[in-house]
Structure formats: C-alpha cells, structure tokens
Amino acid sequence: MRHAFHALAAALLSTGAAHAAPQVQISPAAATLLPGDELAFTITGSGFDTLTVGGGLSLQWNPDVLDLASVAVNTGDWEFISSTGELDAASGRLSNLFFNSFNGRQGSFSIATLRSVADQPGSTALTLSGTELFPFVDASESVLTVQFTGADITVTAVPEPSAALLLLGGLAGLAWRRRAG
C-alpha cells in the first residue's frame, strides 16, 4: 500500500512538472523594417489544455520607433464580447484588450491582429502582459496562469538619395582623375 501511494504521488508530481503553462505570443517574433513599412502581427494563444472562455492583455512598445495603426480582435473565435482596449499612442501602450466566448477555446487559437507602421530608426520590444481587470479564465471560472512572449522590432535607416548620388559622383570623379592623370 505504501509503495502504491509513493508511485501515485510520483506520477502526480511528474505530470505537474511536465505540464507547461499556456502561452500568449506575438508572431512574427522578430522583424526588421524600413521607415514607412507596414507590419501586421498576430497575437495567439497556445497550450491551453482547459476550455478558456476569455482573457485580456496589454502591450507596450517604443512609440518613437513604431506606430500602432489598428487593432482587431478575432471575433470569429471570441464571439461574445470583446474590446480592442485603450490605446495611448504617445506613450506606446495598449491597455485592457479583452475577449470572451460562450463556446470557449482550447489548444491553440488566434486572439487579435495588430497593424503597425515603422516610424524612425531604432529598435523596440513589443512587451505583452496580462491585465488585472481581464485575467485568462477557464470554463469553471478559475484564473489561468499564462506566460507572455513578445517580439523585437528593428527599424533601419534608409540611405538618403542625395548621399547615394554624392557617393556615385565622387567615385566617377576619382575614375576620371585616374584616367586623366
């Protein structure tokens, strides 16, 4: 009997250790853009073993590098009630985006699509986090512990056309001087 108890306890502990928390992530996880380029990225959930009926998240970024142009919650999956959140473009923060479903979702699912425009050269992390107002909840109304994974965006400088012309002119001048001399 004692061995059976230890075997059961070991099995339960190993099952818990192997179970990873559900994850919410941004795709693509990294991108390099030029000023003016547009980027659509998706926020998805994966590893949700229990029926999830809703949740919420916030997003932060450097507004000098990236402008958030639009936010759309996937209402095909989250048909009950949703909100694209509160956008503070000046500080680079989207707060309290939330979504809910009568049917719930399990496994992997799409949450939202965001469209952005590269502003000026630099780099920014897109940092996802949960919200106190709208935690991820399963069908039995238990709050789920979720891991959030963001993305890294780099905006590179575009060479000025005049700088390229100046370089070509200088090279042509050197070639002419070399032939003449």
Side-chain angles (χ1 to χ4, degrees):
M1 177 74 171
R2 186 172 167 182
H3 292 291
F5 176 74
H6 286 289
L8 178 61
L12 289 174
L13 287 175
S14 67
T15 302
H19 178 74
Q23 190 172 44
V24 173
Q25 61 272 333
I26 295 176
S27 178
T32 301
L33 308 169
L34 297 173
D37 283 354
E38 294 184 12
L39 173 67
F41 52 94
T42 58
I43 300 175
T44 58
S46 62
F48 284 80
D49 295 337
T50 61
L51 193 63
T52 304
V53 295
L57 54 90
S58 292
L59 177 69
Q60 285 186 291
W61 68 94
N62 180 344
D64 295 333
V65 176
L66 201 65
D67 293 326
L68 187 60
S70 68
V71 179
V73 173
N74 179 355
T75 55
D77 283 346
W78 307 103
E79 82 292 338
F80 174 51
I81 189 169
S82 63
S83 170
T84 57
E86 303 151 14
L87 176 61
D88 182 354
S91 68
R93 183 161 177 84
L94 174 66
S95 303
N96 298 320
L97 178 149
F98 69 88
F99 43 92
N100 295 280
S101 171
F102 284 119
N103 302 319
R105 295 291 170 257
Q106 196 167 352
S108 297
F109 46 78
S110 173
I111 296 171
T113 300
L114 291 82
R115 298 195 186 288
S116 61
V117 178
D119 195 11
Q120 61 184 347
S123 60
T124 184
L126 301 178
T127 306
L128 280 173
S129 61
T131 68
E132 290 183 24
L133 292 176
F134 307 105
F136 280 77
V137 178
D138 67 14
S140 65
E141 299 180 14
S142 296
V143 174
L144 301 172
T145 300
V146 177
Q147 293 178 350
F148 293 91
T149 303
D152 294 309
I153 306 297
T154 301
V155 178
T156 59
V158 177
E160 293 290 329
S162 60
L165 289 174
L166 184 61
L167 176 63
L168 287 174
L171 290 173
L174 286 173
W176 178 79
R177 186 170 183 200
R178 192 170 191 203
R179 280 191 175 177

